[in-house]
Amino acid sequence: WHRPRPEEGEMGGMKVGLKHLTGPYRLSGPAFKRACQDAGGAFDQPCLSLYYDNPATVAEEKLRYSAGIVLEGPTAGELEQNLVKKGYEIHSFRDTRAVVVTFPFTMGLVSILLAVSRCYPAISEFMKQCGMGPGDSAGAVIEVYRGAPDCTIQYFVPLEGDFKLHPSFKKNE
């Protein structure tokens, strides 16, 4: 089946609405569902997550992540207003150099589980071969889930900028 092929490329700019959470990454699925519901059931809007910590080195209950919606298309302005009323933070990402890999999103949860088990090791190996380590990232791994017609999961490891958006980073500065 699909073999992920990471490459150095670009993460295009995007505007997003995010809520920040702490806890096991395996519980991020309900956060996506909640974001879609908060967006008025806009399952046509891409959803995304930012993962800040390495689960191999950080206790599960201390893992930090953000989940939300990519604000694009003709209803983006109205959607942004609705999300702000529901406690979402709005952020704009500029075009950014990143390690990028795309995986098919055609079988729901099965696609997600396959993507996680294949893409993260491929990204780690690619970064190692390029002489990069965890310190070369800009603070997060970003996953963007797009439904029809794209049906993809895109993984981005930004290599520039600051993507440490979780409020705990501000407390530690």
Side-chain angles (χ1 to χ4, degrees):
W1 207 61
H2 184 79
R3 183 172 178 217
R5 297 192 189 329
E7 60 186 12
E8 193 170 331
E10 191 164 289
M11 180 180 81
M14 65 182 96
K15 192 172 195 180
V16 301
L18 296 172
K19 276 201 174 174
H20 308 291
L21 301 115
T22 303
Y25 286 164
R26 62 185 158 75
L27 299 181
S28 63
F32 285 133
K33 186 175 181 180
R34 189 168 39 257
C36 287
Q37 290 168 341
D38 288 345
F43 290 98
D44 58 331
Q45 292 291 117
C47 61
L48 80 157
S49 59
L50 287 81
Y51 296 98
Y52 304 102
D53 299 302
N54 180 343
T57 61
V58 176
E60 194 174 59
E61 69 276 2
K62 293 183 179 183
L63 294 172
R64 297 167 292 184
Y65 63 101
S66 302
I69 299 289
V70 177
L71 302 168
E72 62 182 30
T75 61
E78 181 183 336
L79 179 56
E80 178 179 341
Q81 291 174 355
N82 290 339
L83 291 175
V84 167
K85 288 177 188 172
K86 294 178 180 179
Y88 286 75
E89 289 181 4
I90 306 302
H91 296 274
S92 293
F93 301 159
R94 62 179 174 80
D95 291 352
T96 303
R97 191 171 59 90
V99 174
V100 181
V101 66
T102 301
F103 199 84
F105 184 40
T106 56
M107 299 183 304
L109 181 59
V110 172
S111 291
I112 294 168
L113 295 173
L114 284 170
V116 167
S117 69
R118 293 180 181 184
C119 290
Y120 279 102
I123 290 168
S124 293
E125 183 60 29
F126 175 82
M127 290 180 72
K128 192 183 312 178
Q129 288 175 359
C130 292
M132 293 183 256
D136 292 309
S137 81
V141 174
I142 301 170
E143 297 178 3
V144 179
Y145 293 78
R146 295 184 182 278
D150 298 333
C151 297
T152 60
I153 304 170
Q154 292 178 297
Y155 291 83
F156 299 100
V157 181
L159 300 173
E160 56 192 14
D162 184 4
F163 289 85
K164 296 177 182 173
L165 303 177
H166 196 280
S168 65
F169 289 110
K170 293 176 182 86
K171 292 177 189 174
N172 295 333
E173 292 177 351

